[in-house]
Amino acid sequence: MPVARPELSDSRVIAHVDMDCFYVQDSSSLKVRSDVRRQVSRFKGMKRNDPILANWSYCESVVEQRKQQSLRGQPTAVVQYNSWQGGGLIAVSYEARKFGVKRSMRGDEAKQVCPEIHLVQVPVARGKADLNTYRNAGSEVVSILSRRGRCERASIDEVYLDLTIAAEAMLADNPPECLETISEEVVKSHVLGLEEVGSDARENVRHWFTRSDASRRDKLLACGAFIVAELRLQVLEETEFTCSAGIAHNKMLAKLASGMNKPAQQTVVPFSSISKLLRTLPIKKMKQLGGKLGTSLQIDLGVNTVGDLLQFSEEKLQEYYGVNTG
DNA sequence: CATGGGGGACCA
DNA sequence: TGGTCCCC
């Protein structure tokens, strides 16, 4: 059985970056570059619920919106194969979601729920839907994220980032508690386990990031969150795409966190919040357990949360599912 | 036919 | 290598 060296593996700083409704985002390219600059500078100082965000990023249909700026802020969906009932939706902007439009609806169905929806076609090559434009747009993002650490592409619109080295370097010569100013994007971070304390969320977050009595691993995560906030702004400036991110000590938690606050937000999972988070987490939410294995855990072992799963030893699970799966 | 289809991980 | 599972 492989045993990880705790001091090396337990305090890694891992980010999972997930593009917001990505396919939609590429269709509405801004016509004028200065428009981007203006929008970005507004974005930097913006409150989380600023209405302009609704026109900017709340859309998986964003690749398409970059190409066609007029689609920004419009209910938009990306469709593949329109010959049968209007084709299948593979991405739906947040504006369209408000009307009840859902992925895996047919185009015709979406039109009924939301008559003003803009449907954009996925390019076709050799009679098949061709996602290369979105894959290439994803590469633009990866090239930016790679500046601060090693990237692992998990899908067309998802990237894992190992920021351990960069976070350690920052902690060594520019620790958060010594920064005189903290960017808005960092203060907007969600920190798990901090939500329910006090009334002023942003002040709490600011305090969490700058407190000097933090554990080393908390400080590393804080540095990671700084770096991710910077990267997300660079992605917005250079590609016009928004994304959401999770920052944690491993991939599983980072992935879990990136989906907790969307779009255009980031979530940190401090070590101290992990056990509470997992205790009640439905097992099906965990990557790799969304399918038959997760169902088997529920039905055959009565395991419904990750906390339940902890009652089973590794050996016991291996009896049921084999050495590796167990 | 009616979510399409592809890609990655793991296994025998 | 082909089959199955899982995810996007």
Side-chain angles (χ1 to χ4, degrees), chain A residues 51-289:
Chain A
I52 196 162
L53 277 177
N55 290 335
W56 180 258
S57 61
Y58 284 16
C59 20
E60 197 146 10
S61 31
V62 186
V63 175
E64 295 300 340
Q65 291 182 326
R66 185 172 73 166
K67 289 191 205 140
Q68 246 185 309
Q69 173 62 7
S70 60
L71 295 178
R72 289 266 187 214
Q74 302 283 323
T76 307
V78 176
V79 148
Q80 63 183 0
Y81 309 128
N82 63 357
S83 50
W84 187 72
Q85 294 185 11
L89 274 55
I90 61 171
V92 180
S93 79
Y94 281 79
E95 293 84 358
R97 292 180 202 188
K98 290 181 200 156
F99 290 84
V101 178
K102 295 216 167 78
R103 202 171 60 222
S104 102
M105 272 183 173
R106 308 258 80 180
D108 295 348
E109 211 177 341
K111 281 276 187 194
Q112 287 176 7
V113 182
C114 177
E116 59 269 53
I117 195 170
H118 297 79
L119 297 179
V120 181
Q121 293 276 346
V122 172
V124 173
R126 303 176 178 189
K128 303 253 185 187
D130 179 9
L131 302 181
N132 275 326
T133 57
Y134 312 119
R135 198 166 285 119
N136 293 338
S139 299
E140 295 178 43
V141 175
V142 171
S143 75
I144 293 167
L145 298 179
S146 303
R147 293 169 188 165
R148 306 301 292 273
R150 285 187 60 95
C151 282
E152 175 185 327
R153 267 191 107 156
S155 73
I156 280 186
D157 73 331
E158 286 177 57
V159 179
Y160 291 98
L161 242 183
D162 190 335
L163 294 171
T164 308
I165 304 291
E168 283 172 346
M170 177 177 171
L171 188 56
D173 49 61
N174 215 353
E177 67 262 30
C178 296
L179 294 182
E180 61 293 341
T181 59
I182 294 203
S183 88
E184 273 303 291
E185 200 54 40
V186 172
V187 168
K188 289 192 311 190
S189 294
H190 300 263
V191 181
L192 260 45
L194 216 58
E195 324 282 357
E196 62 281 355
V197 187
S199 52
D200 189 343
R202 322 179 102 217
E203 258 327 296
N204 282 335
V205 171
R206 188 188 305 277
H207 176 255
W208 188 87
F209 272 92
T210 56
R211 85 226 135 99
S212 54
D213 63 335
S215 64
R216 172 171 169 81
R217 62 190 339 169
D218 272 4
K219 288 186 180 179
L220 284 171
L221 282 188
C223 291
F226 267 89
I227 295 165
V228 170
E230 286 174 1
L231 285 171
R232 288 178 43 243
L233 278 177
Q234 287 175 13
V235 167
L236 180 58
E237 286 174 346
E238 297 175 35
T239 71
E240 304 169 20
F241 300 141
T242 68
C243 55
S244 299
I247 300 98
H249 289 309
N250 64 43
K251 288 165 68 177
M252 181 226 110
L253 290 168
K255 159 92 175 160
L256 203 56
S258 72
M260 287 181 173
N261 296 286
K262 279 176 140 282
Q265 296 168 68
Q266 61 182 54
T267 305
V268 183
V269 187
F271 179 78
S272 57
S273 73
I274 296 176
S275 61
K276 185 180 177 192
L277 167 69
L278 294 186
R279 202 175 64 234
T280 57
L281 185 78
I283 204 109
K284 290 281 223 173
K285 299 252 185 201
M286 300 252 306
K287 191 171 162 70
Q288 305 300 322
L289 297 182

Side-chain angles (χ1 to χ4, degrees), chain A residues 42-53 58 184 188 202:
Chain A
R42 292 184 62 179
F43 183 86
K44 281 181 175 172
M46 195 168 353
K47 295 200 204 84
R48 184 172 297 144
N49 291 326
D50 193 305
I52 196 162
L53 277 177
Y58 284 16
E184 273 303 291
K188 289 192 311 190
R202 322 179 102 217

